[in-house]
Amino acid sequence: MSSVLTESMSELNTDLSSSARPSPGMTSLVLLLGDLVAIALASGSALILASFLDQAPVIQGWHVLIIAVAVPLAFMLADLYPGAGVSPVDEMRSIILILSTFALTFLVAGLAQGLGITALLQLGVIYVATVLLVIEMRILLRELLARRPWWGVPAVVLGGGKTARLIIESLARKPNLNLKIIECLDDNPDIWGLDVAGVPVTGSIRSEISRVRRNGVNYAIVAMPGMAPNALSTLVDRLGRLFAKVVVTPNAFGMTSSGVGTRDSGAVVGLYVRGHLSLRRNLFLKRVVDLVLLAPLGLVAIPILTISAITIFVTSPGNPFYAQVREGYRGRRIRLWKLRTMHRNSEELLKEYLDTNPAAGEEWRTRFKLEKDPRIIPVVGSFFRRMSLDELPQLLNIAKGELSFVGPRPFPDYHLDSFTDDFRQLRASVPPGLTGYWQVTSRATADLAGQVELDSYYIANWSLWLDLYVMARTPWAVIVSKGAY
């Protein structure tokens, strides 16, 4: 029996070695090329501005070369190549801080040289464009490539129980963390040769850990929260001599590294959470950011909104705007403004459609959305909803302080009635948003349970950086339009 098991394990290990595996080098190269393209585009935007202003460009070819070398080097030191296990929110924070440091250095040097207003304006354009393009380029690359078998970093999970399963399933839902579990190790021989959430358990920790490292895996996750402290300390000490990255997973699922730090309380390491929207200073900061963003975005939105309203009026005569009363912050009732994308007799059309289509009735009960919705104005309504143009009038709600740019979306009462009272109170404890974490991750594809999970995650892990990340990811969620109907 032992020889048969050993032979089976050997065949399994051979299959693992020969199959397609994540390549940290290839992933890092793609991210590096994306960063260089973003830097080149940002530099080009400054040259275009200089030409438009009929001024000499403040940035020369050798400046671009220095930036193209120094910025990736700083990113490498910040562990952003390939950024395995780094949350997109923390990645964005590192990118902004690094680029801000470079921008401040150039600003001080420029002021010392007596640069004029137009030259300083060019520097500002380069800085803003570089920040936006680098962040958006990385989001785009992950949207396109994160699920490819070669993308990311291979990792091993130590443990084959419930915690290991939760980790593997969570990472599978979050490919943007650049981590892919290729095997599990566990000292329980009863599960050798089996799998945990589709990942094979290839043997014991004691005998197989060195082989895993020799096969090129340099990232280990310890998923045994019930392990005795002394034994865990010994194991981590050994792993630290083998692997470049070792993560010990506490029993704290639902938390993220963003906004969470560690504190040493004597001989005990604990987690602490920095801030929440229940703190007045955080609400004030969130409101300030909303007002700062509202002016430029409002100027862009006005002509788009005007053209959209005229188009709706022509294709479906009647008021192109409408308002729904929904539940807002602390349960207050707010009038949420939208462009009308449905026929004026939408309620009658919906009732008739649900009465004659049982499958559609089930879809409506689980998501309160329909992939084939008879209420929507053909072509125009579908396009506006898919591109989220129907939400533009809600900039008025943001100006009035009824909405934030980011937060749980304010649902109709019939939707809220499907949630528990506790979850409704949780949602009402923070300002609702024009866009949200749920919308940029799954849009309409999440069922009620998924909506509860994602909104709860956002509320529990709020930070200004998380808001900025959601806003940065929103354009790609709109363009890809997955689940938007």
Side-chain angles (χ1 to χ4, degrees), residues 18 37 54 67 116 144 253 334 378 423:
S18 61
V37 169
D54 196 22
I67 295 171
L144 297 176
F253 285 93
I334 61 175
F423 180 63

Side-chain angles (χ1 to χ4, degrees), residues 399-411:
K400 294 169 63 178
E402 298 170 336
L403 282 186
S404 175
F405 272 104
V406 182
R409 284 292 292 158
F411 289 142

